[in-house]
Amino acid sequence: MCGIVGYIGQKEKKEILLDGLQELEYRGYDSAGIAVIENKHLKNFKAVGRLQNLRDKTDSYTSSGFGVSIGHTRWATHGKPTELNAHPHRGEYSFVVHNGIIENYQELKTELQKEGVKFLSQTDTETIVHLFEKNYNATSNAWESFSKTIEKLEGAYATLLITEAEAETIFFAKNGSPMLIGFNGDDVYFASSDTPIIGKATEVYYLEDGEYGYTKDGKVMLFNADGEKSFTKQTLATDKAMAQKDGYRFFMEKEIYEQTQVMNDTMMGRVLESKIDFEELDANLLENISNIKICACGTSYHSALTGSYLLERIAKIPCQVEIASEFRYKEPLLRDDTLFITISQSGETADTLEALKMANRAGLKSLSICNVDNSSIVRESDAAILTRAGIEKGVASTKAFATQTMVLWMLTLYVAQVKKTITPELLKEELDAMRHTPKALLVTDKLHTKLNRLSKRYLHGHGFFFIGRDLFFPLALEGALKLKEISYLHAEGYPSGEMKHGPIALADSELFTVALMPKSLHYEKIKSNVEELSARDATILAISPEPFELADDFIQTIYGTHPMLEFFEMMVVTQILALEISIRLGNDVDMPRNLAKSVTVE
Ligand code: G6P
C-alpha cells in the first residue's frame, strides 16, 4: 500500500521525509519520491525500486531554513511502477502526493486534456494537481482552489499538496484512506500511519473521512462539509513495532481485519453499476478463446479452484485448474483456443512462472492475476489484473486469497458479459451481491471472542478434516492449509461427499471436523454428510447460518442468500480459527517454521 509523509517547519526536510518513508517500507512499495519548497524554490526527486535509490539520488541535496515538504512510497495501481508514475506528481508550480483511487479521474482527465493540459503520468493522482492549478489560475486563491478541487474528487484519497503559489502552506484532505497530523511545538507532520512520526511528534490528530484543510504558521485549520471544525489532539504512542501492526498482535491478524477495506480497493473502478470493467484488459483478449486453464501454487491454487466453479457455472466456459509444479512435467496438450491464467500473490513463484513460460512458448494468450506489479509473472504475461491487496507480511496468505477470489468472480462476470452467457437479471444479482462483500468480511468482536474461547478445545486430537461441497470444497482446502501452516497440526480439506469413500474410517471423537454448511448451496446434501460423521462420533465444528443440532461447536454466520457472500464470511471464520489455535500453541504466527512467503526455487 502506498505511504505518505509531510513536514512543515524549520528542520532539515530531506532526512525527515526519507526517514519517514523508511518507516513505511514494511507496507511495500515499488517507487518513491519527495518534493520540498524552501525560499519559494521547488526541489523534486523520484526513484524506482528501493528507497536507497532515492537516498542515492538526493545525496548531495539538503534543505535549509523554513519550508514545506511531502514524500511518498507508491504501490502501483494505475500505471506501471516507473519514475514518471511515482509521486509527487507535478503541475506547473505545484506538487501532490495521494493514496487511494480517484474513481472519476478519467472523466476529470479528459476534461483537463480538452483544455490543453498535458499529463506526464498514467496515474489517477496527477488529475488532482492539474485541477488545483486550473482553479488557481482562475482565482489566485490557493485555499479556495484546493477546496474546489477536493469537492470534485470521487473515490478514496488521502492527499497532500504544496505549491509555489503559497509556499508556506501544506494543503491536505482525507476520505477513505488513512491520514494523520502530528504536532510538536510549531512543527507539523503528516503521515498515512503512526510510524513515520513516532519519536518526532508528541501529539497526533487522526483525520476523519471528509476532512480537509491547510497548515500554516504552526496552525492547522480543519474543515468538513459543515464548515470549519475544532479538533482535539491526543498523545502519540511510542511503540513502533506495535504501530506497524496497527495494534494487532500479528501481521496476519491485521491482514484478516484489513480484508473488508482492501476489497473495496480491489473492486474500485471495476465493479460498475451494471457491468464489470477491466481497464487493463484489451477488448480482444477473449477473441477465439473457448477454454480456460489456470495454474498456481498453494493458496493461489485454492483461489483458482474456486474460480473454476464460477467460470463454468456462470460464464459457461470450460475451465481446468492445475498445480503448477505438476503441470510442468506432465507434457500437457495445449490448444491455442485456451486462455492461460496464472495466479500468484508474489508474482515470483518459480513453478508458476515456469508453467507460464511453457504456455507462452506454445503460443497461448496469457493473463496473470497478481498482487505485485512488474513482478516476473506480470511481465511475462500478455495481460495482468492486479489484486490490489497491498503488501502481505504474514507468510500464511489471507487478504491475497480473498482478493484473488474476488478478481476471479469479477473475471467470471466479465467473460460472461463478453461471451453473452449471462442474463441481465443474473448479472445484476451477482453485482449486487459483490457490492456486499466488504460487509461479509467484517470481523466482529463477538465472532473473534467466540473463536478465541472455542479454540482451546482444538489443540490436541489426531487431526482435522475441513469439509465442504462445490465452491466450499476449495475453501475447505484453504481452511485446512491455513491451520496446518501456522499450527503444525495435521489438517486436510476434503469434499464432504467423498468422506464416505475412505476417510470416514478415521472418524472418532478425536477427529475434528470443520463443516462448511452454506445455506445457499447444497445445504441438505452436506448436512447428510456431516450427519454420517457425527453418527461415528467425530467432533463437529459446524459453520452455517442454519442452526445444526448435531454440532459439538457451532458458529452461526449471517449471510445465507448468496454463495459467495457465505464463502467470504466462512473464509474469515476459518482464518481466525487457525490464528487463535496457533497463538494458543505459542507459535510464531507470521513466520511459521519451514515456510517462505515466496518460493523462487523449484
Ligand atoms: C508459498 C507460500 C504460500 C503461497 C505459495 C504461492 O508456498 O508459503 O503461502 O500460497 O507460495 O505463492 P504465490 O506468491 O505464487 O501466490
Side-chain angles (χ1 to χ4, degrees):
M1 296 285 225
C2 307
I4 288 182
V5 289
Y7 169 70
I8 176 169
Q10 295 284 347
K11 295 202 169 82
E12 203 290 297
K13 278 153 278 298
K14 179 186 82 174
E15 282 308 318
I16 291 180
L17 295 177
L18 291 178
D19 285 355
L21 293 178
Q22 188 116 33
E23 293 297 340
L24 294 171
E25 273 197 307
Y26 74 96
R27 302 180 71 88
Y29 64 102
D30 41 52
S31 54
I34 60 170
V36 179
I37 305 179
E38 44 177 16
N39 302 323
K40 297 220 165 202
H41 290 304
L42 250 165
K43 278 278 179 196
N44 168 232
F45 304 88
K46 297 186 196 191
V48 174
R50 311 304 301 162
L51 207 52
Q52 188 56 44
N53 301 345
L54 185 62
R55 282 200 186 274
D56 294 345
K57 272 199 168 176
T58 53
D59 205 26
S60 56
Y61 166 72
T62 39
S63 66
S64 62
F66 173 81
V68 292
S69 60
I70 56 178
H72 191 266
T73 43
R74 173 170 187 256
W75 176 281
T77 52
H78 282 98
K80 294 266 152 218
T82 59
E83 200 166 306
L84 268 185
N85 285 336
H87 300 215
H89 286 287
R90 62 170 311 155
E92 298 287 322
Y93 48 86
S94 320
F95 272 85
V96 70
V97 291
H98 159 236
N99 285 354
I101 296 174
I102 306 297
E103 278 185 70
N104 60 336
Y105 89 99
Q106 199 57 58
E107 198 181 310
L108 297 170
K109 184 170 175 176
T110 313
E111 213 174 288
L112 287 160
Q113 279 171 326
K114 272 194 208 140
E115 293 168 20
V117 175
K118 295 262 176 301
F119 278 75
L120 296 173
S121 77
Q122 301 159 300
T123 64
D124 51 337
T125 303
E126 201 185 334
T127 48
I128 304 176
V129 72
H130 293 307
L131 201 54
F132 167 79
E133 290 193 350
K134 176 188 155 178
N135 292 338
Y136 187 81
N137 293 343
T139 61
S140 298
N141 180 327
W143 168 235
E144 190 187 320
S145 305
F146 182 73
S147 18
K148 270 189 166 172
T149 304
I150 296 306
E151 268 169 36
K152 287 264 188 185
L153 305 182
E154 286 168 22
Y157 49 82
T159 183
L160 297 179
L161 183 141
I162 55 174
T163 175
E164 282 178 322
E166 197 173 308
E168 62 291 348
T169 307
I170 295 184
F171 299 93
F172 61 87
K174 180 234 188 293
N175 194 42
S177 298
M179 169 102 94
L180 51 89
I181 312 178
F183 301 87
N184 192 352
D186 277 350
D187 287 338
V188 179
Y189 299 85
F190 291 88
S192 48
S193 73
D194 289 343
T195 40
I197 63 165
I198 288 178
K200 296 191 170 78
T202 51
E203 288 180 306
V204 64
Y205 174 68
Y206 295 91
L207 286 163
E208 287 173 18
D209 284 344
E211 291 184 342
Y212 61 106
Y214 61 90
T215 175
K216 188 178 180 173
D217 301 332
K219 289 193 194 62
V220 171
M221 304 301 289
L222 188 69
F223 299 80
N224 66 10
D226 302 327
E228 197 179 329
K229 225 190 124 177
S230 60
F231 61 95
T232 315
K233 300 171 196 170
Q234 58 188 85
T235 310
L236 180 64
T238 49
D239 184 342
K240 275 188 190 168
M242 209 49 192
Q244 283 198 346
K245 292 177 193 153
D246 287 347
Y248 293 103
R249 295 164 292 176
F250 295 95
F251 280 109
M252 181 188 176
E253 186 176 31
K254 169 175 174 266
E255 285 155 8
I256 293 171
Y257 275 77
E258 249 172 32
Q259 293 177 115
T260 176
Q261 174 58 41
V262 295
M263 206 49 103
N264 283 314
D265 295 341
T266 306
M267 293 195 288
M268 204 171 285
R270 294 166 169 172
V271 182
L272 308 184
E273 192 47 36
S274 55
K275 63 169 188 170
I276 295 289
D277 187 29
F278 283 112
E279 201 178 65
E280 50 277 77
L281 300 187
D282 263 10
N284 64 6
L285 179 74
L286 296 170
E287 234 166 63
N288 305 322
I289 294 295
S290 51
N291 190 38
I292 289 178
K293 192 181 275 294
I294 316 183
C295 251
C297 301
T299 290
S300 299
Y301 168 72
H302 296 154
S303 75
L305 279 179
T306 313
S308 73
Y309 282 89
L310 296 171
L311 282 157
E312 295 216 342
R313 177 169 301 143
I314 301 175
K316 311 283 181 223
I317 186 159
C319 177
Q320 306 91 45
V321 181
E322 310 227 20
I323 289 179
S325 55
E326 282 299 306
F327 175 81
R328 289 176 64 182
Y329 298 103
K330 71 185 279 201
E331 297 177 27
L333 297 175
L334 297 172
R335 297 187 340 210
D336 59 9
D337 65 345
T338 300
L339 175 66
F340 193 81
I341 301 182
T342 47
I343 305 181
S344 174
Q345 187 286 127
S346 60
E348 302 297 344
T349 301
D351 285 322
T352 312
L353 180 61
E354 285 310 314
L356 170 60
K357 286 182 181 165
M358 278 170 66
N360 283 348
R361 281 195 295 273
L364 271 62
K365 277 194 203 171
S366 57
L367 167 69
S368 58
I369 296 175
C370 191
N371 198 30
V372 183
D373 199 0
N374 225 24
S375 55
S376 304
I377 287 176
V378 166
R379 279 185 277 121
E380 197 70 33
S381 306
D382 295 325
I385 302 176
L386 296 180
T387 45
R388 301 181 183 161
I391 196 167
E392 192 177 60
K393 297 266 285 186
V395 166
S397 177
T398 51
K399 62 178 182 168
F401 173 72
T403 53
Q404 287 166 346
T405 307
M406 175 53 95
V407 166
L408 284 158
W409 186 12
M410 296 192 293
L411 183 69
T412 298
L413 301 188
Y414 178 83
V415 174
Q417 275 165 208
V418 176
K419 299 246 169 236
K420 302 194 173 40
T421 47
I422 192 166
T423 61
E425 293 73 31
L426 181 59
L427 180 59
K428 184 174 179 313
E429 251 173 57
E430 293 293 306
L431 291 170
D432 284 348
M434 206 171 251
R435 280 187 279 266
H436 269 88
T437 308
K439 281 203 188 129
L441 291 165
L442 271 174
V443 186
T444 62
D445 282 352
K446 194 172 151 213
L447 174 71
H448 202 147
T449 310
K450 177 147 193 193
L451 285 162
N452 167 280
R453 285 185 59 76
L454 170 158
S455 59
K456 62 175 175 285
R457 296 201 280 277
Y458 293 92
L459 308 176
H460 61 290
H462 56 72
F464 286 77
F465 269 90
F466 283 67
I467 59 169
R469 291 183 91 115
D470 204 293
L471 290 169
F472 293 80
F473 163 51
L475 184 58
L477 289 174
E478 176 58 13
L481 181 65
K482 274 315 72 118
L483 185 65
K484 63 186 145 203
E485 281 178 323
I486 60 175
S487 73
Y488 320 139
L489 297 171
H490 179 71
E492 257 187 90
Y494 230 77
S496 59
E498 187 67 10
M499 291 296 284
K500 59 183 172 292
H501 298 299
I504 203 163
L506 294 170
D508 65 19
S509 62
E510 297 287 282
L511 178 79
F512 301 141
T513 303
V514 181
L516 307 175
M517 304 173 70
K519 189 177 167 189
S520 58
L521 206 61
H522 318 311
Y523 179 77
E524 291 303 328
K525 297 270 177 233
I526 179 160
K527 190 167 162 236
S528 342
N529 301 147
V530 184
E531 280 163 0
E532 285 154 20
L533 281 157
S534 166
R536 277 130 190 116
D537 221 17
T539 299
I540 312 285
L541 163 55
I543 307 171
S544 179
E546 289 288 313
F548 180 60
E549 58 190 24
L550 296 178
D552 297 275
D553 276 311
F554 181 61
I555 298 288
Q556 185 151 25
T557 47
I558 301 165
Y559 290 91
T561 49
H562 192 285
M564 287 310 288
L565 293 180
E566 294 205 64
F567 180 99
F568 284 119
E569 195 184 2
M570 290 187 187
M571 174 198 77
V572 170
V573 175
T574 58
Q575 291 168 342
I576 296 181
L577 177 70
L579 174 84
E580 288 301 326
I581 291 178
S582 169
I583 294 174
R584 279 190 189 275
L585 292 171
N587 299 342
D588 184 343
V589 171
D590 288 331
M591 305 265 270
R593 70 182 186 206
N594 306 339
L595 299 181
K597 185 72 190 155
S598 167
V599 182
T600 52
V601 292
E602 190 180 342

